[in-house]
Amino acid sequence: MRIFLSVGHSILRGGGCTSASGYVNEYKYNKELAPYVKRALESLGHTCDVVVCPEGKFTNWKQERGYKLPIANSGRYDIVGELHLNASNGVGHGMECLYYPGDQRGLAIANRACKAFQDLGFKNRGAKARGDLYIISATKPTAVLFESFFCDNKHDTDLAKKLGFDKIAGAICYGLVGQYPNLNKGSETKVNKPVCVMYFRDGNKTTAEFIAQQLNCKCYKDNGKDLPNNEHSKYDIKYIGDLGKTRQDTAKEACKRFLGWNI
Ligand SMILES: [Zn+2]
């Protein structure tokens, strides 16, 4: 299966967000969750493109629609899924999954997803037919919208936090393709970004290069050029700032912090 997975909502030009907020922020939570869903699907041999609206660009939610629909309808996908969280002044709780009226495949996905969330301890609010949401009605492939839980309900958010992203992603994966991910069992694994080392002062260059050599990764000076600022988020950066009073202290602290040396 080729899956289009979008994160509902966006951050607008003025910094406002079109999503709901409570104990967790809907948009922020789902942006963090999406790579876990992608990894879960890929573990079963499916492909998944995560689509997140550019941040700080749009002035209203309608532009989100204009951004996502051409991608979703490009012919490259079998299923469209969008991640949301519900909200209702703290009262409502549980999971519901929305699908297009009469779409049997959408209904099957929605039912599976609701059951998977029920198995995790969330209330099963059921599959709901909705014809008024563009991500479901204006998309050509079968489309579903996950309202995974209520972001303003304490029970739901506590449970989601306790379970962790891998479990929530697994339930969504099961909904979409009918199988749980084929990941290593055990504690929650992080979605890994490539590591790099970065330093600011020239005096710390030797330390930075040593750490990078030990970690077998690249080393950049933080000058806005070697690694442009807009690419920083793609890396797990081990940053060599002034970690101690002297260069020697910094070197020592860096070895402790980034290499786990017991010195
Ligand atoms: Zn939403």
Side-chain angles (χ1 to χ4, degrees):
M1 288 298 174
R2 300 165 305 165
I3 292 133
F4 167 103
L5 184 73
S6 67
V7 173
H9 307 286
S10 72
I11 293 180
L12 300 174
R13 191 179 293 166
C17 183
T18 61
S19 79
S21 225
Y23 295 99
V24 291
N25 174 272
E26 178 188 5
Y27 171 74
K28 214 171 145 227
Y29 180 89
N30 287 319
K31 195 176 150 193
E32 219 173 325
L33 171 65
Y36 289 84
V37 179
K38 175 182 168 71
R39 198 177 56 134
L41 290 163
E42 287 173 347
S43 77
L44 295 164
H46 303 286
T47 62
C48 174
D49 290 339
V50 173
V51 176
V52 185
C53 286
E55 294 184 1
K57 192 171 171 202
F58 300 154
T59 50
N60 64 64
W61 70 266
K62 286 180 185 148
Q63 292 164 319
E64 297 169 3
R65 171 193 170 118
Y67 178 80
K68 287 176 199 165
L69 286 181
I71 307 173
N73 289 334
S74 61
R76 297 203 299 269
Y77 303 105
D78 305 305
I79 303 174
V80 166
E82 187 162 272
L83 302 172
H84 285 255
L85 298 179
N86 229 327
S88 75
N89 296 324
V91 188
H93 60 106
M95 192 295 181
E96 60 191 47
C97 190
L98 318 179
Y99 68 101
Y100 192 72
D103 179 359
Q104 292 306 312
R105 192 161 164 238
L107 172 62
I109 291 172
N111 277 333
R112 271 200 307 264
C114 287
K115 176 68 172 57
F117 273 78
Q118 184 186 334
D119 290 345
L120 291 177
F122 294 95
K123 180 182 174 187
N124 182 348
R125 300 169 64 89
K128 293 201 162 68
R130 286 282 292 270
D132 59 325
L133 302 163
Y134 73 84
I135 200 71
I136 301 177
S137 62
T139 39
K140 288 179 203 155
T142 280
V144 288
L145 190 154
F146 301 95
E147 297 274 13
S148 298
F149 57 88
F150 280 70
C151 68
D152 58 357
N153 178 269
K154 190 156 181 352
H155 164 266
D156 274 13
T157 46
D158 283 351
L159 180 56
K161 281 179 190 166
K162 198 180 90 200
L163 290 164
F165 288 115
D166 265 337
K167 285 269 168 30
I168 303 287
I172 288 170
C173 171
Y174 182 77
L176 286 167
V177 298
Q179 276 181 288
Y180 281 100
N182 188 16
L183 300 171
N184 292 332
K185 297 276 181 293
S187 60
E188 172 155 335
T189 34
K190 285 247 182 302
V191 171
N192 290 319
K193 297 178 183 179
V195 172
C196 75
V197 172
M198 190 168 259
Y199 66 100
F200 181 63
R201 278 185 214 285
D202 286 331
N204 292 327
K205 186 178 179 187
T206 314
T207 298
E209 284 177 347
F210 175 73
I211 301 289
Q213 186 213 338
Q214 293 294 309
L215 296 175
N216 193 22
C217 69
K218 288 205 166 132
C219 181
Y220 300 103
K221 182 170 164 72
D222 187 10
N223 54 11
K225 285 183 292 189
D226 290 1
L227 183 69
N229 291 334
N230 60 7
E231 289 183 27
H232 285 195
S233 64
K234 293 181 192 160
Y235 287 87
D236 175 8
I237 298 175
K238 309 298 179 196
Y239 201 92
I240 317 286
D242 285 328
L243 303 175
K245 281 195 182 114
T246 63
R247 282 177 202 172
Q248 285 74 16
D249 287 345
T250 293
K252 216 171 155 182
E253 181 59 30
C255 290
K256 276 195 216 170
R257 200 180 285 187
F258 302 125
L259 304 178
W261 287 12
N262 194 4
I263 49 172

